[in-house]
Amino acid sequence: MERDELLSLMQAASYKPLTAEELMAALGQEDREAFQEFLDRLEQEGYIVRTRKGKYGLPEKMGLVCGYLQASPKGFAFVVPRNKGQGDLYISFAHLNGAMHGDLVLARMLPGGAGPRREGEVIRILQRKNFKIVGTFTNGRRVNFVVPDDVRLHQDVIVPPGCSLGAQEGDKVVVEITRWPEARRLPEGKVVEVLGRSGDPGIDVLCVIKKYELDLDFPPEVLEEAEKLPGTLGEREWAGRRDLRSWPLVTIDGPDAKDLDDAVSIEKLPGGDFLLGVHIADVSYYVREGSFLDREAFRRGTSVYFVDRVIPMLPPRLSQDLCSLNAGEDRLAISVLMVFSPEGVLKDYE
Protein backbone atom coordinates (compact mmCIF):
# COMPACT_ATOMS: atom_id res chain seq x y z
CA MET A 1 0.00 0.00 0.00
CA GLU A 2 1.43 3.36 -1.03
CA ARG A 3 1.02 6.50 1.06
CA ASP A 4 0.18 8.68 -1.96
CA GLU A 5 -2.72 6.40 -2.89
CA LEU A 6 -4.36 6.89 0.50
CA LEU A 7 -3.68 10.64 0.55
CA SER A 8 -5.12 11.06 -2.94
CA LEU A 9 -8.34 9.44 -1.77
CA MET A 10 -8.53 11.76 1.25
CA GLN A 11 -7.75 14.86 -0.82
CA ALA A 12 -10.83 14.39 -2.98
CA ALA A 13 -13.45 17.10 -2.40
CA SER A 14 -16.12 14.44 -1.79
CA TYR A 15 -14.11 12.59 0.87
CA LYS A 16 -15.48 12.39 4.40
CA PRO A 17 -13.59 10.73 7.28
CA LEU A 18 -13.80 6.93 7.13
CA THR A 19 -13.01 4.15 9.59
CA ALA A 20 -10.13 1.73 8.98
CA GLU A 21 -12.61 -0.91 7.75
CA GLU A 22 -14.23 1.54 5.33
CA LEU A 23 -10.82 2.63 4.03
CA MET A 24 -9.81 -1.00 3.50
CA ALA A 25 -12.88 -1.57 1.38
CA ALA A 26 -12.38 1.64 -0.60
CA LEU A 27 -8.75 0.79 -1.33
CA GLY A 28 -9.21 -2.91 -1.90
CA GLN A 29 -7.03 -4.00 1.02
CA GLU A 30 -7.41 -7.39 2.71
CA ASP A 31 -4.71 -7.64 5.39
CA ARG A 32 -6.35 -5.95 8.38
CA GLU A 33 -3.29 -6.03 10.65
CA ALA A 34 -0.87 -4.70 8.02
CA PHE A 35 -3.29 -1.95 7.00
CA GLN A 36 -3.78 -0.82 10.61
CA GLU A 37 0.02 -0.64 11.07
CA PHE A 38 0.14 1.43 7.88
CA LEU A 39 -2.48 3.85 9.24
CA ASP A 40 -0.76 4.05 12.64
CA ARG A 41 2.54 4.96 11.01
CA LEU A 42 1.00 7.71 8.86
CA GLU A 43 -0.81 9.07 11.91
CA GLN A 44 2.45 9.15 13.89
CA GLU A 45 4.12 10.96 11.00
CA GLY A 46 1.31 13.53 10.90
CA TYR A 47 0.03 12.79 7.40
CA ILE A 48 -3.40 11.73 8.65
CA VAL A 49 -5.47 12.25 11.81
CA ARG A 50 -7.76 9.84 13.65
CA THR A 51 -10.87 11.40 15.22
CA ARG A 52 -12.42 10.41 18.54
CA LYS A 53 -14.88 8.30 16.59
CA GLY A 54 -12.05 6.31 15.01
CA LYS A 55 -12.30 7.89 11.57
CA TYR A 56 -9.37 9.10 9.49
CA GLY A 57 -8.83 12.27 7.51
CA LEU A 58 -6.31 14.93 6.55
CA PRO A 59 -5.19 17.47 9.19
CA GLU A 60 -5.84 20.46 6.93
CA LYS A 61 -9.43 19.36 6.36
CA MET A 62 -10.01 19.28 10.11
CA GLY A 63 -8.67 22.75 10.85
CA LEU A 64 -5.36 21.34 12.04
CA VAL A 65 -1.76 22.05 11.09
CA CYS A 66 0.99 19.44 11.12
CA GLY A 67 4.56 20.71 11.01
CA TYR A 68 7.85 21.29 12.75
CA LEU A 69 8.04 23.70 15.66
CA GLN A 70 10.44 26.59 15.07
CA ALA A 71 10.96 28.36 18.37
CA SER A 72 12.17 31.91 18.95
CA PRO A 73 14.63 32.86 21.72
CA LYS A 74 11.88 35.20 22.96
CA GLY A 75 9.68 32.30 24.03
CA PHE A 76 7.07 32.00 21.31
CA ALA A 77 7.21 29.67 18.31
CA PHE A 78 5.78 28.93 14.90
CA VAL A 79 4.55 25.69 13.40
CA VAL A 80 5.98 25.47 9.89
CA PRO A 81 3.41 23.31 8.05
CA ARG A 82 4.42 20.22 6.15
CA ASN A 83 1.64 21.13 3.73
CA LYS A 84 3.10 24.10 1.84
CA GLY A 85 -0.39 25.36 1.07
CA GLN A 86 -0.83 26.39 4.71
CA GLY A 87 0.82 29.40 6.30
CA ASP A 88 2.92 29.36 9.47
CA LEU A 89 0.95 29.17 12.70
CA TYR A 90 1.96 31.37 15.64
CA ILE A 91 2.17 29.59 19.01
CA SER A 92 2.55 31.55 22.25
CA PHE A 93 4.63 30.07 25.08
CA ALA A 94 1.44 29.36 27.03
CA HIS A 95 0.14 27.21 24.17
CA LEU A 96 3.26 25.10 23.55
CA ASN A 97 1.95 22.44 25.96
CA GLY A 98 5.33 20.82 26.44
CA ALA A 99 6.49 20.99 22.81
CA MET A 100 10.11 21.93 22.17
CA HIS A 101 11.99 23.43 19.24
CA GLY A 102 12.29 20.96 16.37
CA ASP A 103 9.43 18.67 17.44
CA LEU A 104 6.94 17.44 14.87
CA VAL A 105 3.59 18.58 16.24
CA LEU A 106 -0.09 18.79 15.49
CA ALA A 107 -1.70 22.15 16.25
CA ARG A 108 -5.15 23.66 15.95
CA MET A 109 -6.09 27.23 15.22
CA LEU A 110 -7.57 29.28 18.04
CA PRO A 111 -10.83 31.20 17.54
CA GLY A 112 -10.35 34.67 16.14
CA GLY A 113 -6.87 33.92 14.89
CA ALA A 114 -7.57 34.15 11.16
CA GLY A 115 -5.75 36.55 8.86
CA PRO A 116 -2.06 37.24 8.36
CA ARG A 117 -1.22 36.17 11.92
CA ARG A 118 -3.03 32.97 12.68
CA GLU A 119 -2.60 31.79 16.25
CA GLY A 120 -2.88 28.25 17.48
CA GLU A 121 -2.00 25.76 20.19
CA VAL A 122 -0.13 22.46 20.14
CA ILE A 123 -2.53 19.59 20.79
CA ARG A 124 -0.24 16.64 20.07
CA ILE A 125 3.50 16.02 19.91
CA LEU A 126 4.09 13.42 17.20
CA GLN A 127 7.87 13.10 17.19
CA ARG A 128 10.44 14.46 19.60
CA LYS A 129 13.67 16.03 18.38
CA ASN A 130 15.86 16.82 21.38
CA PHE A 131 16.64 13.56 23.14
CA LYS A 132 20.04 14.91 24.21
CA ILE A 133 20.84 18.55 24.97
CA VAL A 134 24.17 20.34 25.36
CA GLY A 135 24.31 23.00 28.06
CA THR A 136 25.85 24.42 31.22
CA PHE A 137 25.47 22.60 34.51
CA THR A 138 24.22 24.86 37.32
CA ASN A 139 23.86 24.24 41.04
CA GLY A 140 20.55 25.59 42.28
CA ARG A 141 19.36 26.12 45.85
CA ARG A 142 16.96 23.22 45.79
CA VAL A 143 17.77 21.37 42.60
CA ASN A 144 20.48 21.23 39.96
CA PHE A 145 19.70 21.95 36.34
CA VAL A 146 21.24 22.37 32.88
CA VAL A 147 20.82 25.60 30.91
CA PRO A 148 20.68 24.66 27.18
CA ASP A 149 23.19 26.30 24.84
CA ASP A 150 20.49 26.55 22.18
CA VAL A 151 18.48 29.63 23.14
CA ARG A 152 15.50 28.25 21.23
CA LEU A 153 15.13 25.62 23.95
CA HIS A 154 13.33 27.81 26.44
CA GLN A 155 13.29 25.54 29.49
CA ASP A 156 16.12 24.47 31.75
CA VAL A 157 16.48 20.72 32.30
CA ILE A 158 16.18 19.61 35.94
CA VAL A 159 18.83 17.10 37.03
CA PRO A 160 17.56 15.00 39.99
CA PRO A 161 19.95 13.88 42.75
CA GLY A 162 22.29 11.12 41.63
CA CYS A 163 21.98 12.01 37.96
CA SER A 164 24.74 14.61 37.59
CA LEU A 165 27.66 12.24 36.77
CA GLY A 166 29.89 14.35 38.99
CA ALA A 167 29.34 17.56 37.01
CA GLN A 168 30.31 20.81 38.76
CA GLU A 169 29.01 24.36 38.52
CA GLY A 170 29.87 25.78 35.08
CA ASP A 171 30.70 22.48 33.40
CA LYS A 172 29.58 21.92 29.83
CA VAL A 173 27.58 18.69 29.75
CA VAL A 174 25.33 16.52 27.62
CA VAL A 175 22.03 15.79 29.35
CA GLU A 176 19.65 13.07 28.19
CA ILE A 177 15.95 13.77 28.63
CA THR A 178 14.26 11.27 30.95
CA ARG A 179 10.96 13.12 31.37
CA TRP A 180 9.54 15.44 28.74
CA PRO A 181 8.18 18.87 29.70
CA GLU A 182 4.50 19.41 30.29
CA ALA A 183 2.42 22.57 30.28
CA ARG A 184 3.60 23.58 33.79
CA ARG A 185 6.50 21.23 34.39
CA LEU A 186 10.14 21.54 33.33
CA PRO A 187 11.86 18.63 31.59
CA GLU A 188 14.07 16.29 33.60
CA GLY A 189 17.24 14.53 32.53
CA LYS A 190 20.45 12.81 33.51
CA VAL A 191 23.96 13.94 32.62
CA VAL A 192 25.50 11.35 30.29
CA GLU A 193 28.73 13.18 29.45
CA VAL A 194 30.81 15.93 31.06
CA LEU A 195 32.59 17.79 28.25
CA GLY A 196 34.75 20.12 30.35
CA ARG A 197 34.86 23.55 31.89
CA SER A 198 33.02 26.33 30.14
CA GLY A 199 35.55 28.60 28.41
CA ASP A 200 38.38 26.05 28.25
CA PRO A 201 40.13 25.78 24.85
CA GLY A 202 38.31 23.48 22.42
CA ILE A 203 35.20 23.05 24.57
CA ASP A 204 33.15 25.35 22.34
CA VAL A 205 33.91 23.22 19.28
CA LEU A 206 33.20 20.02 21.21
CA CYS A 207 29.82 21.44 22.27
CA VAL A 208 28.88 22.07 18.64
CA ILE A 209 29.94 18.54 17.69
CA LYS A 210 27.78 17.07 20.46
CA LYS A 211 24.86 19.39 19.73
CA TYR A 212 24.57 18.19 16.14
CA GLU A 213 25.46 14.60 17.07
CA LEU A 214 28.39 14.47 14.67
CA ASP A 215 30.27 11.18 14.79
CA LEU A 216 34.00 11.51 15.39
CA ASP A 217 34.58 7.79 14.80
CA PHE A 218 33.63 5.44 11.98
CA PRO A 219 31.95 2.05 12.51
CA PRO A 220 34.37 -0.92 12.52
CA GLU A 221 32.93 -2.41 9.32
CA VAL A 222 33.53 0.86 7.46
CA LEU A 223 37.14 1.09 8.62
CA GLU A 224 37.72 -2.57 7.73
CA GLU A 225 36.33 -2.06 4.23
CA ALA A 226 38.54 0.99 3.73
CA GLU A 227 41.67 -0.85 4.85
CA LYS A 228 41.06 -3.62 2.31
CA LEU A 229 41.28 -1.18 -0.63
CA PRO A 230 44.45 -1.58 -2.73
CA GLY A 231 47.19 0.91 -1.93
CA THR A 232 48.92 0.63 -5.32
CA LEU A 233 47.52 1.09 -8.82
CA GLY A 234 47.87 -1.67 -11.42
CA GLU A 235 46.64 -2.52 -14.90
CA ARG A 236 43.05 -2.90 -13.69
CA GLU A 237 43.02 0.68 -12.40
CA TRP A 238 44.72 2.12 -15.50
CA ALA A 239 42.31 0.47 -17.95
CA GLY A 240 40.32 3.03 -19.93
CA ARG A 241 42.14 6.00 -18.35
CA ARG A 242 44.40 8.68 -19.76
CA ASP A 243 47.80 9.09 -18.12
CA LEU A 244 48.30 12.72 -17.08
CA ARG A 245 51.15 12.15 -14.63
CA SER A 246 53.60 14.09 -16.80
CA TRP A 247 51.43 17.23 -16.63
CA PRO A 248 52.26 19.96 -14.13
CA LEU A 249 49.16 20.06 -11.91
CA VAL A 250 48.62 22.33 -8.93
CA THR A 251 46.36 21.43 -6.00
CA ILE A 252 44.21 24.32 -4.81
CA ASP A 253 43.94 23.48 -1.09
CA GLY A 254 46.01 25.34 1.49
CA PRO A 255 49.39 24.03 2.69
CA ASP A 256 47.87 22.85 6.00
CA ALA A 257 45.10 20.81 4.37
CA LYS A 258 45.09 17.07 5.01
CA ASP A 259 42.87 16.15 2.05
CA LEU A 260 43.72 17.53 -1.38
CA ASP A 261 40.59 17.01 -3.44
CA ASP A 262 41.09 19.27 -6.45
CA ALA A 263 43.81 20.35 -8.85
CA VAL A 264 44.14 22.55 -11.96
CA SER A 265 46.46 22.63 -14.94
CA ILE A 266 47.01 25.14 -17.75
CA GLU A 267 48.83 24.84 -21.07
CA LYS A 268 49.21 27.29 -23.93
CA LEU A 269 48.40 25.62 -27.26
CA PRO A 270 49.80 26.41 -30.72
CA GLY A 271 47.76 29.26 -32.15
CA GLY A 272 47.26 31.00 -28.82
CA ASP A 273 44.44 28.98 -27.25
CA PHE A 274 44.68 27.64 -23.69
CA LEU A 275 43.99 24.13 -22.42
CA LEU A 276 42.57 24.35 -18.90
CA GLY A 277 42.29 21.16 -16.89
CA VAL A 278 40.21 20.77 -13.73
CA HIS A 279 40.84 17.52 -11.86
CA ILE A 280 39.12 15.94 -8.87
CA ALA A 281 39.94 12.73 -7.02
CA ASP A 282 37.87 9.80 -8.32
CA VAL A 283 36.10 8.79 -5.11
CA SER A 284 33.51 6.77 -7.04
CA TYR A 285 36.14 4.17 -7.97
CA TYR A 286 36.66 3.25 -4.33
CA VAL A 287 33.20 3.91 -2.88
CA ARG A 288 30.87 1.50 -4.63
CA GLU A 289 27.09 1.80 -4.36
CA GLY A 290 25.64 -0.13 -1.45
CA SER A 291 28.97 -0.70 0.29
CA PHE A 292 29.54 0.11 3.96
CA LEU A 293 31.58 3.13 2.85
CA ASP A 294 28.76 4.33 0.60
CA ARG A 295 26.06 3.97 3.26
CA GLU A 296 28.14 5.71 5.94
CA ALA A 297 29.00 8.57 3.57
CA PHE A 298 25.32 8.92 2.68
CA ARG A 299 24.39 9.04 6.37
CA ARG A 300 26.98 11.73 7.12
CA GLY A 301 26.14 13.71 4.00
CA THR A 302 29.26 15.88 4.02
CA SER A 303 32.53 16.57 5.73
CA VAL A 304 32.28 19.14 8.52
CA TYR A 305 35.05 21.71 8.89
CA PHE A 306 35.91 23.49 12.12
CA VAL A 307 38.64 26.00 12.93
CA ASP A 308 40.86 23.33 14.46
CA ARG A 309 39.66 20.06 12.91
CA VAL A 310 37.63 18.33 10.24
CA ILE A 311 35.15 15.49 10.65
CA PRO A 312 35.43 13.74 7.27
CA MET A 313 32.64 12.09 5.32
CA LEU A 314 35.03 9.25 4.43
CA PRO A 315 37.61 7.48 6.64
CA PRO A 316 41.16 8.90 6.64
CA ARG A 317 42.29 5.92 4.53
CA LEU A 318 40.37 7.52 1.65
CA SER A 319 40.04 11.21 2.56
CA GLN A 320 43.72 11.70 3.43
CA ASP A 321 45.32 8.94 1.33
CA LEU A 322 43.77 7.15 -1.64
CA CYS A 323 41.45 10.02 -2.61
CA SER A 324 43.87 12.83 -1.79
CA LEU A 325 45.94 14.24 -4.69
CA ASN A 326 49.21 14.10 -2.80
CA ALA A 327 52.32 15.38 -4.58
CA GLY A 328 54.44 12.74 -6.29
CA GLU A 329 51.92 9.91 -5.82
CA ASP A 330 49.82 8.10 -8.44
CA ARG A 331 46.15 8.89 -8.01
CA LEU A 332 42.92 8.23 -9.90
CA ALA A 333 41.00 11.32 -10.93
CA ILE A 334 38.12 12.58 -13.02
CA SER A 335 39.14 15.48 -15.24
CA VAL A 336 37.51 17.97 -17.55
CA LEU A 337 39.79 19.47 -20.23
CA MET A 338 38.61 22.77 -21.72
CA VAL A 339 39.96 24.79 -24.64
CA PHE A 340 39.61 28.57 -24.24
CA SER A 341 40.42 31.34 -26.67
CA PRO A 342 42.78 34.12 -25.50
CA GLU A 343 39.62 36.15 -24.82
CA GLY A 344 38.25 33.46 -22.46
CA VAL A 345 35.64 31.99 -24.79
CA LEU A 346 35.05 28.24 -24.31
CA LYS A 347 35.69 26.54 -27.67
CA ASP A 348 35.78 22.85 -26.81
CA TYR A 349 35.83 20.47 -23.87
CA GLU A 350 36.41 16.83 -23.05
Side-chain angles (χ1 to χ4, degrees), residues 216 218 222-223 225-226 229 259 261 281-284 286-288 291-298 300-304 310-323:
L216 294 171
F218 287 87
V222 175
L223 294 175
E225 194 172 74
L229 295 171
D259 51 337
D261 303 325
D282 187 3
V283 179
S284 64
Y286 297 101
V287 182
R288 299 305 173 96
S291 64
F292 289 122
L293 286 165
D294 177 48
R295 283 179 282 178
E296 179 66 13
F298 182 85
R300 292 182 176 232
T302 182
S303 298
V304 183
V310 59
I311 302 178
M313 184 176 67
L314 297 169
R317 168 70 169 158
L318 279 85
S319 61
Q320 297 180 22
D321 185 10
L322 300 180
C323 296

Side-chain angles (χ1 to χ4, degrees), residues 225-241:
E225 194 172 74
E227 289 303 318
K228 289 181 179 179
L229 295 171
T232 57
L233 304 178
E235 293 184 4
R236 178 181 177 183
E237 286 75 28
W238 297 128
R241 294 180 179 270

